[in-house]
Amino acid sequence: MRSGITICSSWPLKLYGGIIVFLEKEAFLKKFAITREQFAEADLSWEELCAIAEDYAARLDGFYEVRDLFLKEFIENQEEKTGLHSYRTRIKTPEHLVEKIIRRRVENYLKYKDLNRENYLKFVTDIIGFRGLLLYREDWVIFHKHLLSHFENRPEWYVHNCLRDFDGSRDRYMVEAPKVHMRPGDFGDIYADWIASDNIYDQKYYRSVHYILKYRGAYLEIQVRTLFEEGWGEIDHHILYPYKKQDPMLTEFSELLNRLAGMGDEMASFYRRLQNVPDEAFQGKKSMVDARREYEHYKEQADRVRLDEIETVGDAIHTVISR
């Protein structure tokens, strides 16, 4: 049995690996860089948050089971159908769930104001996270078609109000419209035929395609991005998210690195297209070097010819043949 992480000193619950961790409120806020003002603005008592974390810890095994079933049914050994190079998954820990709830209530209090220990799973849609990684950006279409063949994408089923629109009887569908996040200037035509323009967003730093699915009674967050984007995203997440976003020097570094990631994707796509260039239309480096060496060889031979030795046409022919 997988067990949870305690954030309240009253919890006799286990951490992964069997180690018990006790965090008091102040230690928790310090660990996740949440100010007292932000905690007050979230307007949830520490006791309510502890109750949510304790309930969630007791449910973790079920979420791991759903994750494993999703992978077995739709991802594992299906590389050609998914178009993925590789993938990663994660399940939120109880303390990260609590952090997420606090930040969400600060960012959008009206949407999350009714969240409590009885209904929090209807509000948090990224308990189970799946990240699919592509070698080439264009392979996203393959993954998108794969999802559409298994999960219905019907706007009338989208969840706009977490409580009112939640339907426990419906399964295997998209809870929200798929969304594309990309940098201004990125090539977005590959998405235009599949995703409405209203759901393609230009952002300064971020690239990824997002889905929220309902599967076996649980929400799954799906992100799809390229290997270059993943490399930048991992570094950015480690350095900036979510605690140092206001640091101007680190933010500028992240932006520069993101530009390089985008350029890497464009070069990879260009490199792929070169496969379709006919051999006779493309001269490799080696052939260019060989041609230069051949020219230099004959030039050297020509330089050795003494013109004063050539008096007749026969002499010229003999000179060329002999050399």
Side-chain angles (χ1 to χ4, degrees):
M1 176 178 177
R2 297 180 179 89
S3 50
I5 300 174
T6 62
I7 61 171
C8 300
S9 59
S10 60
W11 289 358
L13 299 178
K14 297 178 182 178
L15 175 68
Y16 302 104
I19 303 172
I20 296 178
V21 172
F22 297 112
L23 283 181
E24 297 292 348
K25 173 183 171 181
E26 295 303 320
F28 176 86
L29 297 179
K30 181 179 180 180
K31 178 177 180 179
F32 291 101
I34 299 172
T35 66
R36 293 184 179 182
E37 292 74 18
Q38 288 173 322
F39 183 81
E41 190 177 350
D43 193 25
L44 267 180
S45 70
W46 184 245
E47 290 72 26
E48 185 71 8
L49 290 170
C50 286
I52 289 173
E54 186 171 0
D55 178 82
Y56 175 66
R59 298 174 184 267
L60 273 175
D61 279 356
F63 289 119
Y64 276 99
E65 182 179 353
V66 172
R67 188 276 311 270
D68 294 344
L69 290 170
F70 175 80
L71 295 179
K72 184 176 181 180
E73 188 169 358
F74 304 112
I75 303 299
E76 292 176 352
N77 303 314
Q78 300 186 53
E79 288 81 3
E80 291 187 4
K81 293 181 180 179
T82 64
L84 297 179
H85 171 274
S86 52
Y87 64 86
R88 301 175 58 190
T89 68
R90 64 106 185 93
I91 309 289
K92 277 192 180 300
T93 64
E95 59 181 2
H96 279 99
L97 172 66
V98 169
E99 179 212 5
K100 180 72 173 279
I101 289 173
I102 293 172
R103 294 192 185 280
R104 284 291 181 264
R105 284 174 66 94
V106 171
E107 295 166 1
N108 190 347
Y109 182 79
L110 289 178
K111 180 177 180 179
Y112 295 93
K113 68 182 180 65
D114 295 322
L115 182 153
N116 57 47
R117 71 181 76 182
E118 304 296 332
N119 61 25
Y120 68 94
L121 291 176
K122 296 178 181 179
F123 287 86
V124 184
T125 57
D126 63 345
I127 295 292
I128 303 172
F130 173 89
R131 184 171 298 163
L133 304 180
L134 305 168
L135 195 57
Y136 302 101
R137 188 178 296 174
E138 295 79 5
D139 289 340
W140 163 80
V141 176
I142 301 173
F143 184 81
H144 185 71
K145 290 180 179 179
H146 180 63
L147 276 190
L148 290 179
S149 68
H150 297 286
F151 292 86
E152 292 196 68
N153 182 22
R154 298 175 59 173
E156 64 268 27
W157 289 359
Y158 291 165
V159 174
H160 302 286
N161 182 289
C162 298
L163 295 179
R164 182 194 64 212
D165 300 333
F166 181 84
D167 187 344
S169 64
R170 186 178 292 132
D171 211 41
R172 295 188 183 225
Y173 71 100
M174 295 189 181
V175 177
E176 300 177 357
K179 296 178 177 61
V180 178
H181 301 273
M182 53 188 249
R183 278 179 57 93
D186 282 351
F187 182 72
D189 289 1
I190 60 173
Y191 309 113
D193 292 336
W194 299 95
I195 293 182
S197 59
D198 290 345
N199 293 317
I200 301 177
Y201 306 101
D202 287 347
Q203 295 195 3
K204 193 173 182 181
Y205 304 112
Y206 188 64
R207 292 186 184 95
S208 196
V209 185
H210 281 235
Y211 307 85
I212 302 295
L213 309 178
K214 179 90 173 304
Y215 175 69
R216 294 182 177 267
Y219 288 141
L220 288 84
E221 182 192 52
I222 309 293
Q223 293 185 29
V224 184
R225 56 174 58 164
T226 66
L227 291 172
F228 280 109
E229 291 163 351
E230 176 71 355
W232 165 79
E234 283 298 290
I235 294 174
D236 184 72
H237 191 279
H238 184 261
I239 300 298
L240 282 182
Y241 180 84
Y243 317 122
K244 297 182 180 179
K245 288 183 178 180
Q246 306 307 316
D247 188 309
M249 182 175 65
L250 294 178
T251 300
E252 183 173 348
F253 173 80
S254 176
E255 183 177 356
L256 291 171
L257 194 60
N258 195 11
R259 290 180 195 171
L260 289 175
M263 187 178 296
D265 277 330
E266 292 180 23
M267 289 299 297
S269 296
F270 178 73
Y271 190 42
R272 188 186 205 180
R273 294 198 303 274
L274 285 180
Q275 296 179 95
N276 299 321
V277 177
D279 292 342
E280 60 271 16
F282 183 79
Q283 189 175 28
K285 290 183 178 180
K286 186 177 187 303
S287 60
M288 295 174 65
V289 172
D290 290 346
R292 175 67 180 176
R293 288 174 177 170
E294 184 177 352
Y295 164 77
E296 291 176 348
H297 171 71
Y298 286 112
K299 183 177 183 300
E300 182 182 356
Q301 287 186 324
D303 291 342
R304 291 177 181 175
V305 176
R306 294 185 58 183
L307 296 180
D308 58 0
E309 295 179 352
I310 301 176
E311 297 179 355
T312 67
V313 174
D315 292 338
I317 295 174
H318 174 74
T319 299
V320 172
I321 293 176
S322 62
R323 294 180 186 278

